[in-house]
Amino acid sequence: QQQVKQSPQSLIVQKGGIPIINCAYENTAFDYFPWYQQFPGKGPALLIAIRPDVSEKKEGRFTISFNKSAKQFSLHIMDSQPGDSATYFCAASRQGGSEKLVFGKGTKLTVNP
Amino acid sequence: ETGVTQTPRHLVMGMTNKKSLKCEQHLGHNAMYWYKQSAKKPLELMFVYNFKEQTENNSVPSRFSPECPNSSHLFLHLHTLQPEDSALYLCASSQRGQGLQFFGPGTRLTVL
């Protein structure tokens, strides 16, 4: 049973576009939602994370929007650049409980010049 | 060395070989993890260690044998693997009770 559903599977945008990646979760006990960025041949690297007590968090060009009632969260990349081309994973976990991070299936983003 | 390191970065082995993957974290964390990443599949958690004790085994076949001698080192011993075990094996570490995990670069394993 997949507890975090991520869409789309792949996404192609032009430079300067705003790709949006969506995730939905089922377990209401989750209270920590990180996004990871993975380049080919590298391990995933933490990009940005949010807790359910806020509806939005911004770090540079990356913004997470969080909708607790809908159990959904999304990643927006403003003014996307070819260097943002990577695979993005959303994840969820419960702080102070199991250390287990539940990952979405990933979204392969391509930003064309 | 900083962060999480993994060796080797690439490994090709036959089905009858025995090999080991090594992971070392330099972050002072007390939890370590092994993940398997295959094409078109989500990251699959294999094992979790907290304070050197294994706390989770996600129904991983016995041909994968983890070892955690201390909080900084984690090994994955491999024997009689199958071609479908070819994947990127990722190690991660965290402070126990926190969801923030730091990943190593992975070992690309090919089983012939």
Side-chain angles (χ1 to χ4, degrees), chain A residues 65-86:
Chain A
S65 297
F66 188 86
N67 186 330
K68 187 174 181 179
S69 61
K71 292 186 288 184
Q72 295 176 346
F73 58 110
S74 59
L75 176 70
H76 302 230
I77 305 176
M78 309 301 288
D79 187 28
S80 58
Q81 303 296 312
D84 296 329
S85 297

Side-chain angles (χ1 to χ4, degrees), chain B residues 32-111:
Chain B
M32 296 188 78
Y33 314 79
W34 279 117
Y35 287 87
K36 176 183 178 183
Q37 187 175 37
S38 307
K40 300 180 181 179
K41 278 191 174 183
L43 283 155
E44 300 175 77
L45 180 65
M46 300 175 72
F47 301 103
V48 180
Y49 277 84
N50 285 302
F51 296 106
K52 305 186 298 179
E53 299 297 322
Q54 187 181 125
T55 56
E56 185 149 352
N57 176 337
N58 264 4
S59 302
V60 180
S62 60
R63 57 185 183 269
F64 295 91
S65 176
E67 178 190 1
C68 188
N70 54 60
S71 295
S72 299
H73 294 85
L74 186 63
F75 295 90
L76 188 62
H77 304 299
L78 317 171
H79 64 97
T80 58
L81 294 191
Q82 306 297 312
E84 59 264 30
D85 296 323
S86 298
L88 181 68
Y89 288 85
L90 291 159
C91 173
S93 71
S94 75
Q95 200 61 22
R96 188 181 183 190
Q98 298 182 11
L100 177 56
Q101 294 183 16
F102 293 83
F103 285 82
T107 295
R108 173 66 64 186
L109 174 67
T110 302
V111 182

Side-chain angles (χ1 to χ4, degrees), chain A:
Chain A
Q1 179 186 8
Q2 185 189 356
Q3 296 186 49
V4 178
K5 295 183 179 180
Q6 182 172 348
S7 62
Q9 187 174 352
S10 62
L11 186 56
I12 300 174
V13 299
Q14 292 298 120
K15 178 183 175 181
I18 306 175
I20 301 172
I21 303 171
N22 300 298
C23 286
Y25 63 98
E26 300 168 1
N27 188 343
T28 55
F30 288 147
D31 57 5
Y32 180 71
F33 303 90
W35 284 89
Y36 283 83
Q37 179 189 54
Q38 185 177 25
F39 293 105
K42 305 283 188 180
L46 179 69
L47 188 63
I48 185 173
I50 197 169
R51 300 186 189 279
D53 53 346
V54 297
S55 59
E56 185 176 281
K57 183 174 181 180
K58 183 180 292 187
E59 287 187 6
R61 295 183 294 106
F62 300 92
T63 299
I64 300 179
S65 297
F66 188 86
N67 186 330
K68 187 174 181 179
S69 61
K71 292 186 288 184
Q72 295 176 346
F73 58 110
S74 59
L75 176 70
H76 302 230
I77 305 176
M78 309 301 288
D79 187 28
S80 58
Q81 303 296 312
D84 296 329
S85 297
T87 300
Y88 293 81
F89 294 92
C90 62
S93 73
R94 183 165 62 90
Q95 297 287 282
S98 166
E99 288 74 22
K100 189 174 176 178
L101 264 178
V102 180
F103 284 90
K105 290 188 175 182
T107 297
K108 184 176 181 181
L109 172 66
T110 302
V111 181
N112 289 325

